[in-house]
Amino acid sequence: MGEEYRAKVFKSGNSLALRLPKALGLKEGAEMKVRAESGRFVVEPADAKRKITGEGWMGMLPGLKPLTREEREFEASPRPWDDPDWEGPSQK
């Protein structure tokens, strides 16, 4: 078993917070998972941030496939304000 530290619970807004010693080597903003097990609390680093992709469910949808880079490109549609003769909305 590693070194033992004491930590203090304090109120932060409408929640309780646990101040952990800097000696534990955690970085500010690190995301942690907390769970209760048999009357004890287990604190461990959360999984790395996951990128959400459709890989898991895209194969389940018939006819759906990812677009190629060429298919994702599009031509800009004409806008009235791009016309040099356009005078803007009429004021009545």
Side-chain angles (χ1 to χ4, degrees), residues 10-17:
F10 62 98
K11 187 169 172 97
S12 177
N14 287 331
S15 301
L16 293 177

Side-chain angles (χ1 to χ4, degrees), residues 58-66:
M58 282 189 62
M60 297 178 196
L61 302 172
L64 184 64
K65 64 178 181 62

Side-chain angles (χ1 to χ4, degrees), residues 20 26 30-35 37 41-47:
L20 299 173
L26 297 172
E31 191 172 341
M32 306 297 284
K33 288 193 296 189
V34 181
R35 70 176 181 274
E37 276 185 8
F41 296 104
V42 177
V43 180
E44 58 190 10
D47 298 334

